[in-house]
Amino acid sequence: MGRLGRLRRSTLAALIAATSVAAFALWFGIVRDLVPYESGVAIPWWALAAGFACTELFVIHARVRGSAHSLSLSELPLVLGLLLAEPSELVLAMVVGPAVVLLWTRGQGPVRLFFNLAQFALTATLATIVLHAIAPPQDTIGPLVWGATFVAVFAASLTGAVLVFCAIGLSEGSIPSKRLAGMLGADLLVALTNTSVALSGATIVANDLRASWLLIPPAAILLLAYRAWVSERAKHQSLEFLYGVTRTLSRGGDLEGELLDLLRRTRSSFRVRTAELVLLPGEPGDGAVRTARGADGYEEVMVPVAHASAAALRSVVEHDGAVRVERGDCEPALQRYLEDRGIEQALIAPVRGETRLAGVMVLGDRIGATDPFTDEDLRLFEALAAHAGLSLELDRLERQAQSDPLTGLANRTLFLSRVEASLERGSGMATVLFLDL
């Protein structure tokens, strides 16, 4: 894992370096010598930078299997800059504006920050070059320039989507999901919609700068519409995930296999390094056991857990719901458990039965260049644990109904159920062996 992880980080660093070099080479070799379009308005670079900062400040995050993809209105200042600003200054504005927001409001790590800024620089240079190649500055702002702007923004957005797709694949060590690819495709449609609105505004602003405020209402409506769409989509995905989990735990098969399948789905959905379910003892003298799935196919099935560790997990969630904990900020016993499991940040949720706390679920550490756990993750994880608790309680009741309370052996009910299932098979034969002891 260490060698593979270093290889992925090196490849990601190479991607960032190549993107940065390509952006600078295109700017130095082509963009800095381009002249702006003729218009009665010239937007200064600092105004464009403020526009890019605002679009980055009010960005909409769409979560796909734990990875955060962003939707924004960045095409609005991009189009205004393409048509009404110096080409070389547009690239500067598209880097400086978002950089301020990413540094002082989100506190992104250096790798993600450098990737985003390199991507912004490359997409701005590509959009500028494509636009000027199709519609030279001698043309007035009209149908030819409008069409060229659509092509330029599409090329820039497609390049950005490919870079994001590659970066996520390298950081997570796997091919991004089809759902993420679909999200990136939707991003292209969003970019073209934003371009249409921005072109209308740029055509008006080119004649009178005072008309720029007319862009604010449609931009706000677009932002609210995107936010509502992402919210409804997230709710649908959450319900779909919970439905799949419920089906997994209600098949009535082997309990250990069902728990492993549950943890596999959970790891995939939340994009975490490890997912665990610790079943707490229900009878005096019993011990807690852990079933877990981790990276590279790692599995544990019903492994005993030390009493101190089980007690620490129980105390965290016994009187509350799901919690988010940092290893350095929790009590010593829980800190030792997380350290033994190699977990820095965790979500911990109670798995409640009908009459008692049946277990505790733990998710440990995001995979790849994803954001830390959010409140939305916490709510979904708590709902998942509640579903798991209900299913485990039903499984316990079914086992009690089909076993003798004194010996724990299968009773008449389970015997008849198995015989009926065998007789209902379409092929083969059923044999009953009776032993009188």
Side-chain angles (χ1 to χ4, degrees):
M1 175 64 184
R3 183 177 179 182
L4 184 59
R6 288 192 297 272
L7 178 62
R8 290 202 301 263
R9 287 194 294 270
S10 300
T11 309
L12 181 57
L15 174 65
I16 297 172
T19 304
S20 303
V21 170
F24 179 78
L26 291 174
W27 178 87
F28 187 81
I30 301 176
V31 174
R32 73 184 183 123
D33 296 325
L34 297 176
V35 296
Y37 286 90
E38 293 290 337
S39 68
V41 173
I43 302 178
W45 76 269
W46 55 265
L48 286 176
F52 283 118
C54 289
T55 59
E56 193 65 31
L57 188 63
F58 296 103
V59 74
I60 301 170
H61 295 292
R63 294 194 163 274
V64 184
R65 294 180 62 188
S67 297
H69 180 63
S70 300
L71 298 176
S72 73
L73 301 178
S74 60
E75 290 78 17
L76 299 184
L78 174 60
V79 171
L80 291 174
L82 287 171
L83 302 181
L84 305 175
E86 289 282 346
S88 58
E89 294 183 354
L90 169 62
V91 179
L92 175 64
M94 194 166 181
V95 173
V96 173
V100 174
V101 176
L102 296 177
L103 279 172
W104 276 277
T105 64
R106 296 188 197 167
Q108 289 192 345
V111 174
R112 191 168 185 181
L113 175 65
F114 290 145
F115 170 77
N116 283 329
L117 296 182
Q119 175 204 347
F120 293 151
L122 182 60
T123 53
T125 54
L126 282 177
T128 304
I129 292 171
V130 171
L131 174 63
H132 283 251
I134 299 176
Q138 292 79 12
D139 296 325
T140 58
I141 298 179
L144 176 61
V145 176
W146 297 340
T149 303
F150 274 109
V151 176
V153 173
F154 180 81
S157 299
L158 181 61
T159 301
V162 171
L163 288 173
V164 170
F165 198 81
C166 293
I168 291 177
L170 290 173
S171 62
E172 296 184 354
S174 61
I175 299 176
S177 64
K178 293 181 179 179
R179 184 172 292 174
L180 178 60
M183 193 70 195
L184 294 175
D187 192 20
L188 296 177
L189 296 179
V190 169
L192 295 179
T193 302
N194 294 344
T195 302
S196 180
V197 175
L199 278 173
S200 302
T203 304
I204 298 173
V205 172
N207 297 316
D208 190 346
L209 183 61
R210 293 173 299 179
S212 58
W213 69 269
L214 295 175
L215 275 172
I216 297 177
I221 292 173
L222 277 177
L223 186 66
L224 293 175
Y226 295 155
R227 191 178 297 276
W229 175 72
V230 169
S231 176
E232 289 301 316
R233 188 175 182 277
K235 291 178 182 178
H236 174 75
Q237 290 178 353
S238 298
L239 291 175
E240 187 180 61
F241 170 65
L242 292 175
Y243 174 70
V245 168
T246 302
R247 289 191 61 185
T248 296
L249 292 174
S250 61
R251 290 193 300 234
D254 176 58
L255 177 62
E256 289 79 4
E258 291 177 359
L259 292 182
L260 286 174
D261 194 24
L262 164 66
L263 297 175
R264 176 189 62 80
R265 289 174 176 267
T266 303
R267 280 195 68 236
S268 176
S269 180
F270 287 91
R271 298 303 295 168
V272 292
R273 188 180 58 81
T274 182
E276 304 178 356
L277 175 58
V278 177
L279 296 179
L280 300 175
E283 301 293 337
D286 292 343
V289 292
R290 176 180 61 234
T291 300
R293 294 200 72 151
D296 300 327
Y298 175 78
E299 290 182 0
E300 287 183 345
V301 180
M302 299 300 179
V303 175
V305 177
H307 175 74
S309 299
L313 291 171
R314 179 195 292 270
S315 65
V316 173
V317 297
E318 191 166 19
H319 303 294
D320 300 309
V323 295
R324 180 174 49 234
V325 299
E326 300 283 348
R327 189 171 75 187
D329 299 332
C330 53
E331 64 173 1
L334 182 59
Q335 187 175 4
R336 285 192 296 271
Y337 178 80
L338 295 179
E339 186 174 359
D340 290 340
R341 304 299 295 165
I343 297 174
E344 292 289 342
Q345 185 187 57
L347 294 183
I348 304 177
V351 179
R352 301 189 185 279
E354 184 177 359
T355 58
R356 67 182 185 90
L357 183 63
V360 178
M361 285 194 73
V362 180
L363 300 185
D365 295 335
R366 290 282 203 191
I367 295 177
T370 50
D371 291 332
F373 294 115
T374 64
D375 292 339
E376 181 184 341
D377 294 325
L378 200 62
R379 289 191 294 268
L380 179 60
F381 185 46
E382 189 169 23
L384 165 65
H387 278 69
L390 177 61
S391 298
L392 289 173
E393 183 70 16
L394 292 175
D395 180 81
R396 182 182 66 83
L397 293 175
E398 182 180 11
R399 289 173 185 267
Q400 286 182 350
Q402 295 179 348
S403 61
D404 182 80
L406 182 61
T407 64
L409 300 176
N411 62 11
R412 187 182 192 85
T413 302
L414 180 59
F415 169 74
L416 293 177
S417 175
R418 295 290 174 83
V419 170
E420 290 176 359
S422 297
L423 293 175
E424 289 175 357
R425 290 184 302 179
S427 60
M429 58 183 296
T431 303
V432 177
L433 177 63
F434 178 77
L435 298 176
D436 186 8
L437 299 179

